[in-house]
Structure formats: C-alpha cells, structure tokens
C-alpha cells in the first residue's frame, strides 16, 4: 500500500462517482433551493390536504417527491464531507442539509392530523384515487397507530421537547468520550501508554496476559467511579421511553419499540430462550479457548485474545474483489452481473486518504448509485468488509429497481441480513479454499467470534435491557447497584461455571452506547440468525431458494418485515431459524475442535 495521500492526489478510478449525483456545487444549490420552495408550498397545502381524495393524493405524491430530493441533497453533502472531514465547504453543505431535514420534519409532520380522521375516510381516498395505490402500505402503517396517538397539540409538544428529552445519551457520550480519563498502563514493551476507550480494543486483545488484565481492570474501575452518574443518564432514557409507551397506550416499553415493524413481543422472548437452551455449546467454545491458551483459569479478559494466528496474507483490492465475486457466485449470474457494476461504475471509494472518515458503510438514495465507503488496507478483514457493504448496496439496488420510492426503503430489522449473508458466504468460500489447516482454523475462529459477539453477546444485552425497562414500566427505581448486580448475574449465566467472571464486569454495561437506543441490539442477533438460515439453504442448493432470496432482496419495504421474510420461508413466529443458527455455531465449533486435536 502507498502512503496516505491528500484527497486531491487519489486516482479517480479509486474513488466513488459522486459527480453522478451533482456535477458541481451549483447544481446541488439549485435542488437545495427547490427543497425550500417545495416545503413552503406543501406547508400551505397542509391546511386542506384532508379535505378530499384529490387534495390528499396531490399532497402524498408531492411529499414523496420532496423526500426524494431531500435525500439526494443530504447524501451528496454527506458523501463529499466524508471524503475529507477538513474540507469546510462540504461540512457547510452537510450542516445546511441537516438543518433542512429538521425544518421539513417540524413543518411537515402530518401524521397526527391523519390519525385524527376516521380510518374509513382515508381508505376511501385510496379507493377513489388509483395513484394512491402504491402508497397504500405506507398509509396503512400510519393508520395502525390509531389508538396510540395523542392530540395534534400534544404530539407537537412532545416533538418539540424530543431533543431535550433525548439529551441523556449526548451527556453520556460527552462524559465517556471527552471527560473520563483511564490513566496509564504498561504495553507489551513495558512502555507506559495512556489507556482510552479507543485503544482499549487493542490492549484487551494483547497476547500478553498482564497487558489485557491491566486494561480490563483499569477501564472498568474508572467506570465504576462514575456508576451513579451514568445510571442517571440511562435511567432518563429508559423513563422517557416507558412514559411514551404509557401515554400512547402500549402494553409495555417493548411493545412500543417493536410496534413500528409489527413484530410480536414473543419473538424477543423466543430469541432469549433459544440462546439459553444453547449455552452449553458456548461454554464448550470457552473450554476450547482455555485449553488452547494453556490457562489454569480462564478470565473474562482472556476472551478477546485469539488462539489462532490471524491471516497474515495481504490481498490487493483486485484480489479482494475476485474473492468476493467468486464467493458470491452461488447467488447466480444475474446477481453477479449487477455486482460487477460496483467495480466498473465506481460505486466504491476504496482507500484511506488524509481527512477521510474512518470505517466503512453503504449509502445512497433512490436516485443515486448505492455507494460504498471503504478504508481498504489489504487485510482479510477488509475483504470481508467489502463483501458486507456490497450486501447492503445490492439490497438497496434491487429494492430501488423494483419498487416505487416509498416502498423501496426496507426496515432496520431487515437491514443487516443481506450484508451478513455475504460475509457468511465469503467465510465458507475461504474455508473451502483454505490452503492449510492454519488458514482454515483462522476462518473458523473468526466465524465463531462473530456468533459469540453478535448472537450470544447481543442477546445478553437484550436480556439486560428488557430487565431495565420492565423495572421502570412497573414504576420501580433503577439504582446503580441493582443494575450492576443484574449484569453480573447475566455474565455468570452466559459464560458458565468454568469461566472466572471477574467482579469488574458488573460495570461494563455503563459503557454500552446502544442502551440509549431502546431495544435495538436484539436485531443484530436476529439478523445473523436469519442470515445463517439463508446461507445454509443457498450453499445446500435448496431448490428454488436462491430465486426466493433475490425476490426478497427486491421487495424493499413494501410489507411488514415478518411478511417479507416469509418469501424465503422464514417464519419468526416459531424458533426454527434461531435453532438453526445455533446449529451452525455448534457445527463450526466442532469442526474447529477437530482440526486442533
């Protein structure tokens, strides 16, 4: 790899084709101003949009057109700003785009007005105006909230206070990221280094046990000293969510969180139960690691160090591309032909450059390419990330191509499935084509760690989160000691009797930012479980399944998530998919164990 370049020095072929969105800033400016005009026009029409079917139709269609334009304006600014975070021109465009979205949200929130009307009246509008038919699912989804809505004035008050009521997460972020200090530790070379949240991930994976133990103890001891403050910030978030559930006539905080996707709360409980039923398999995985590390006692701070040498081979971007295409060829020629466009039509911004945002993502709109940001450095993990992000982009491409704008956007509940399917297909391809047992063990180890971190760990988080919200729903007080004790108890359960569950782990929950987004983490576990089911059926060449999967990817968000999953024979009203995911973990663990014996 070359040294990190200034953005201006990066080759055009290594960048994404953002110019296909807007050739110049002046073109962006025209659409930005057009958005303002449309907002003002629609604000006037808002007064009479429910008067008759024609007015309603015109308002819905024009709102949809405005949202498309807003998305395009925002995505361009975001992509350009991420190319070089020091470029103030594009940072300003991003700020203006974000403000424009806020103005739109405040001025164009017509949902309370729709919910005040009789359901029969709105349904009659759809019947009378054929052009409203493509918007039926969106409208019916809104109408589901009847009985869970407050008056228009009350909804406006709540909306106005949203930023204040949700500020607890920002307070926690500022405390953890800016104000907290974790002191120094000695690294593997006995040099004193400052411990931070950012580099903790490095030291907890150190092969030197003293280093990872010191990092673990020091970090969590500092969090322990802030336990009352961080309990208070999290309690504010939980109370806000619980109060909203109560005001809007939901049975519980969980019911509120799952309602938007029409997901039964039984699914959440089923996931936890299936994971509980398979903890013995996880315990054996820890036993394998303990044996491989040659430890008398296996502590929690030993859990992140790998027992297998990582894949040291470097993969040029071209080699990575070929691996991904070959691994995903099981999805069929049509899929691969579209996938190749990602490389020929410059969907991808490949390499790091000075000022470029870190990480990786897929981003685009209905009217743009499904772009991918990478920071490719030729490690195997970069190849896996390429497969993952292209999974998102292919899902978006097929959804956009086969649906109108309103129905193209798929739920967050479904968002990680396609990306994780691609990761698993690459993992199995690499296992099958491994040149020696060490390479195969590294691939298997990565897959096991993915399951441990995504299914088991996120389910433990989900169980802890449920405990918190149920307490508040019952008007009980959240105390630091109560939450710490529960979190420690769950770690004992999930790690088993053969792992030393260090007392300091009781403070780990204090540093998990996802808890400020109620009932989000369970979707990581469900996503990987569903992806495991899909990958298994594709690799086993189940008749007609590949075609069903492509149909699923092409269905966007035109129905409830659980209905769309039925296209690929996934029925989450029972536990089959979760059971099969656990079976995949167990089989991988058994193969891993056999290879080491």
């Amino acid at each position: 790899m070359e040294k990190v370049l200034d953005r201006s020095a990066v080759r055009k072929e290594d960048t994404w084709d953002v110019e296909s969105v807007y050739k110049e800033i002046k073109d962006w400016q025209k659409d930005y101003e057009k958005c303002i005009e449309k907002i003002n026009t629609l604000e006037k029409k808002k007064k009479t949009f429910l008067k008759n079917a024609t007015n309603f139709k015109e308002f819905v269609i024009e709102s949809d057109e405005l949202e498309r334009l807003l998305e395009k304006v925002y995505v361009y600014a975001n992509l350009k700003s991420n190319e070089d975070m020091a470029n103030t021109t594009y940072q300003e465009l991003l700020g203006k785009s974000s403000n424009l979205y806020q103005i739109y949200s405040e001025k164009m929130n017509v949902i309370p007005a729709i919910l005040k009307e009789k359901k029969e009246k709105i349904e009659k509008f759809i019947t009378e105006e054929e052009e409203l038919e493509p918007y039926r699912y969106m409208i019916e989804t809104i109408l589901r909230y009847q009985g869970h809505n407050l008056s228009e004035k009350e909804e406006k008050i709540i909306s106005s206070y949203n930023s204040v009521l949700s500020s607890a997460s920002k307070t926690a972020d500022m405390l953890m990221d800016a104000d907290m200090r974790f002191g120094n530790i000695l690294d593997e070379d006995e040099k004193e280094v400052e411990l931070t949240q950012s580099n903790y991930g490095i030291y907890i994976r150190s092969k030197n046990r003293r280093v990872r133990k010191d990092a673990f103890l020091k970090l969590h001891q500092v969090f322990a000293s802030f336990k009352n403050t961080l309990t208070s910030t999290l309690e504010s978030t939980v109370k806000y969510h619980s109060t909203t559930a109560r005001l809007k006539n939901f049975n519980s905080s969980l019911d509120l969180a799952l309602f938007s996707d029409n997901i039964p709360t039984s699914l959440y409980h089923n996931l936890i139960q299936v994971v509980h039923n398979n903890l013995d398999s996880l315990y054996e995985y820890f036993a394998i690691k303990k044996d491989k590390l040659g430890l008398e006692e296996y502590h929690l701070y030993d859990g992140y160090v790998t027992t297998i040498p990582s894949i040291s081979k470097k993969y040029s971007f071209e080699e990575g591309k070929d691996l991904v295409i070959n691994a995903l060829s099981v999805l069929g020629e049509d899929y691969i032909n579209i996938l190749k466009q990602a490389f020929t039509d410059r969907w991808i911004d490949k390499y790091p450059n000075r000022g470029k945002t870190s990480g990786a993502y897929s981003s685009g709109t209905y009217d743009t390419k499904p772009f991918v940001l990478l920071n490719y450095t030729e490690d195997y993990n970069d190849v896996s990330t390429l497969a993952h992000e292209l999974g998102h982009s292919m899902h978006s491409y097929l959804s956009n191509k086969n649906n109108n704008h309103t129905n193209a956007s798929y739920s967050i509940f479904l968002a990680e499935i396609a990306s994780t399917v691609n990761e698993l297909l690459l993992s199995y391809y690499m296992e099958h084509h491994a040149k020696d047992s060490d390479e195969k063990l590294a691939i298997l180890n990565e897959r096991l760690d993915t399951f441990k971190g995504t299914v088991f760990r996120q389910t433990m988080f989900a169980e802890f989160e449920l405990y918190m919200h149920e307490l508040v729903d019952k008007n009980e007080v959240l105390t630091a000691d109560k939450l710490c004790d529960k979190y420690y108890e769950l770690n004992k359960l999930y790690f088993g009797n053969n792992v030393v569950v260090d007392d300091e782990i009781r403070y780990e929950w204090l540093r998990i930012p996802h808890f400020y987004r109620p009932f989000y983490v369970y979707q990581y576990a469900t996503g990987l479980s569903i992806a495991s089911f899909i990958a298994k059926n594709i690799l086993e060449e189940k008749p007609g399944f590949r075609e069903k999967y492509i149909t699923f990817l092409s269905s966007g968000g035109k129905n409830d998530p659980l209905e769309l999953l039925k296209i690929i024979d996934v029925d989450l009203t029972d536990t089959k998919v979760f059971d099969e995911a656990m079976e995949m973990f167990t089989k991988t663990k058994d193969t891993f164990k056999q290879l080491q014996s």
Side-chain angles (χ1 to χ4, degrees):
M1 288 290 295
E2 300 175 354
K3 66 177 183 179
V4 178
L5 303 173
D6 289 332
R7 184 68 187 185
S8 59
V10 179
R11 298 186 310 169
K12 182 178 179 179
E13 57 266 36
D14 292 331
T15 65
W16 48 23
D17 182 22
V18 184
E19 293 73 26
S20 63
V21 185
Y22 293 110
K23 193 170 184 179
E24 298 178 20
I25 291 181
K26 65 180 182 180
D27 300 319
W28 177 91
Q29 187 68 35
K30 287 178 184 176
D31 273 357
Y32 175 82
E33 291 169 359
K34 194 183 294 183
C35 285
I36 295 174
E37 292 173 13
K38 284 180 175 288
I39 289 172
N40 292 332
T41 300
L42 277 170
E43 189 177 19
K44 294 173 185 175
K45 292 187 176 183
K46 182 181 172 183
K47 297 173 184 176
T48 58
F49 84 107
L50 287 167
K51 186 176 181 180
N52 54 53
T54 301
N55 285 13
F56 186 73
K57 174 199 70 178
E58 290 176 356
F59 189 87
V60 169
I61 292 174
E62 289 178 37
S63 295
D64 185 47
E65 291 170 352
L66 172 56
E67 286 183 13
R68 283 177 67 171
L69 201 58
L70 279 167
E71 289 167 5
K72 187 178 176 184
V73 165
Y74 176 83
V75 164
Y76 173 82
N78 188 57
L79 296 178
K80 291 299 290 182
S81 69
N82 285 175
E83 292 177 356
D84 183 357
M85 301 295 282
N87 188 316
T88 56
T89 298
Y90 293 111
Q91 294 303 321
E92 183 180 357
L93 294 193
L94 181 59
K96 291 173 71 174
S97 301
S98 299
N99 291 340
L100 193 60
Y101 254 119
Q102 183 64 30
I103 292 168
Y104 170 74
S105 298
E106 290 175 1
K107 290 189 174 185
M108 302 311 302
N109 182 14
V110 297
I111 291 177
I114 293 173
L115 291 175
K116 279 176 62 179
E117 299 292 333
K118 289 185 177 180
K119 184 178 180 181
E120 294 75 18
K121 176 182 176 179
I122 305 299
E123 290 176 337
K124 191 168 183 285
F125 285 170
I126 302 173
T127 303
E128 290 177 6
E129 294 286 351
E130 277 187 33
E131 290 176 80
L132 283 172
E133 189 58 39
Y135 302 95
R136 177 182 289 278
Y137 175 68
M138 176 199 74
I139 296 167
E140 289 180 345
T141 299
I142 292 172
L143 291 174
R144 282 184 58 237
Y145 280 86
Q146 286 188 333
H148 297 291
N149 58 302
L150 304 176
S151 70
E152 191 169 354
K153 184 178 180 180
E154 288 168 332
E155 291 284 0
K156 190 172 183 179
I157 292 171
I158 289 176
S159 179
S160 299
Y161 276 103
N162 263 341
S163 60
V164 178
L165 295 170
S166 61
S167 63
S169 63
K170 293 180 182 177
T171 302
D173 286 343
M174 289 299 292
L175 178 63
M176 290 188 281
D177 296 338
D179 296 338
M180 289 175 69
R181 294 290 181 270
F182 301 95
N184 298 333
I185 61 170
L186 297 179
D187 67 10
E188 293 180 356
D189 299 319
E190 299 291 328
K191 292 180 180 177
E192 191 170 300
V193 293
E194 182 181 5
L195 180 66
T196 67
Q197 286 233 73
S198 298
N199 64 24
Y200 175 72
I202 297 171
Y203 297 122
I204 197 64
R205 289 173 172 79
S206 173
K207 288 190 177 298
N208 185 317
R209 198 179 195 211
R210 190 262 309 157
V211 172
R212 59 182 186 262
K213 178 181 179 180
D214 288 351
F216 175 85
L217 295 178
K218 180 148 285 192
L219 185 91
H220 290 100
Q221 285 164 1
V222 171
F223 269 98
S225 66
F226 287 90
K227 67 178 183 178
N228 293 313
T229 301
L230 288 169
T231 297
S232 178
T233 57
L234 184 55
E235 184 182 34
S236 296
T237 297
V238 177
K239 280 186 173 179
Y240 172 44
H241 189 75
S242 181
T243 301
T244 302
R246 187 169 60 253
L247 288 174
K248 296 194 173 187
N249 300 314
F250 286 95
N251 294 324
S252 64
S253 293
L254 180 62
D255 191 27
L256 166 62
L258 273 54
F259 186 81
S260 62
D261 285 327
N262 206 12
I263 292 172
T265 56
S266 58
L267 183 153
Y268 199 95
H269 294 285
N270 285 345
L271 170 66
I272 293 171
Q273 188 58 55
V274 169
V275 169
H276 280 194
N277 294 343
N278 288 273
L279 286 174
D280 283 347
S281 189
L282 182 63
Y283 299 161
E284 187 176 1
Y285 170 64
F286 293 138
I288 294 169
K289 291 198 71 172
K290 176 185 176 183
D291 182 63
K292 189 68 178 177
L293 288 168
L295 298 173
E296 287 187 18
E297 289 187 340
Y298 184 87
H299 286 253
L300 293 180
Y301 49 79
D302 298 317
Y304 292 94
V305 63
T306 181
T307 59
I308 303 298
S310 59
I311 299 174
S312 57
K313 175 177 168 51
K314 294 293 183 180
Y315 301 88
S316 69
F317 187 83
E318 284 299 309
E319 290 174 315
K321 178 190 78 173
D322 290 342
L323 281 173
V324 170
I325 289 174
N326 290 337
L328 302 183
S329 62
V330 291
L331 295 175
E333 188 176 349
D334 291 344
Y335 184 96
I336 292 300
N337 286 338
I338 298 170
L339 182 69
K340 287 179 178 177
Q341 292 180 35
F343 303 100
T344 58
D345 293 354
R346 292 177 56 213
W347 292 8
I348 307 169
D349 205 81
K350 301 174 185 174
Y351 303 115
N353 62 252
R354 194 166 285 108
K356 183 177 176 180
T357 193
S358 60
Y361 63 69
S362 169
S363 177
T365 76
Y366 192 76
D367 298 301
T368 72
K369 297 173 182 178
F371 295 107
V372 171
L373 179 135
L374 296 178
N375 280 280
Y376 195 90
T377 58
E378 301 189 342
D379 291 330
Y380 172 72
N381 186 58
D382 295 320
V383 182
S384 185
T385 299
L386 175 62
H388 179 100
E389 299 304 338
L390 285 173
H392 286 305
S393 288
M394 286 295 292
H395 194 176
S396 296
Y397 178 93
L398 291 168
S399 292
N400 292 341
K401 183 180 179 182
N402 292 284
N403 299 278
N404 69 329
H405 170 256
T406 299
N407 290 333
S409 296
Y410 42 86
S411 163
I412 295 283
F413 185 84
L414 303 176
E416 290 299 328
I417 294 173
S419 55
T420 311
V421 166
N422 281 12
E423 274 193 78
L424 287 172
L425 293 178
L426 175 66
S427 177
Y428 278 100
Y429 178 86
M430 295 295 290
E431 178 191 353
H432 183 69
H433 290 85
K435 295 179 175 60
D436 53 48
S437 60
D438 284 345
E439 186 175 345
K440 184 175 286 190
L441 280 168
I443 297 297
L444 293 170
N445 187 65
E446 181 188 56
R447 194 185 309 151
L448 288 169
D449 282 345
T450 296
F451 270 86
K452 182 194 74 171
T454 306
V455 177
F456 290 101
R457 182 171 170 81
Q458 299 300 329
T459 300
M460 185 183 77
F461 286 171
E463 190 169 355
F464 178 70
E465 193 172 18
L466 182 63
Y467 168 78
M468 286 191 296
H469 285 269
E470 286 182 341
L471 282 181
V472 173
D473 284 349
K474 292 184 290 188
N475 292 315
E476 295 188 28
V477 178
L478 293 186
T479 67
D481 288 343
K482 193 180 292 184
L483 293 177
C484 289
D485 288 346
K486 180 62 177 181
Y487 194 78
Y488 183 79
E489 174 190 315
L490 285 171
N491 272 272
K492 290 281 287 184
L493 172 65
Y494 278 74
F495 282 91
N497 294 329
N498 292 322
V499 175
V500 178
V501 178
D502 305 274
D503 190 68
E504 287 76 11
I505 200 64
R506 66 174 61 247
Y507 307 111
E508 184 186 47
W509 65 269
L510 294 161
R511 60 184 291 262
I512 308 299
H514 284 92
F515 292 147
Y516 291 89
R517 190 173 181 181
F519 299 108
Y520 184 84
V521 295
Y522 87 101
Q523 295 173 111
Y524 290 118
T526 55
L528 180 54
S529 298
I530 296 163
S532 301
F533 176 84
I534 294 168
K536 175 178 180 287
N537 281 285
I538 288 171
L539 292 170
E540 292 178 356
E541 298 183 350
K542 181 179 177 180
F545 189 85
R546 184 175 70 186
E547 290 73 21
K548 288 179 181 179
Y549 179 57
I550 301 302
T551 299
F552 164 74
L553 295 180
S554 303
S555 298
K558 65 184 181 183
N559 208 334
D560 293 337
L562 298 196
E563 289 301 313
L564 293 175
L565 286 169
K566 289 178 182 177
I567 296 170
I568 48 174
D569 307 323
V570 169
D571 182 359
L572 292 183
T573 59
D574 61 31
T575 65
K576 178 183 177 184
V577 168
F578 300 145
D579 291 332
E580 291 199 7
M582 293 293 94
E583 184 180 333
M584 179 178 280
F585 174 80
T586 299
K587 285 185 176 179
T588 302
K589 177 210 57 178
D590 290 344
T591 303
F592 183 77
K593 184 178 181 180
Q594 289 166 9
L595 277 173
Q596 292 192 95
S597 59

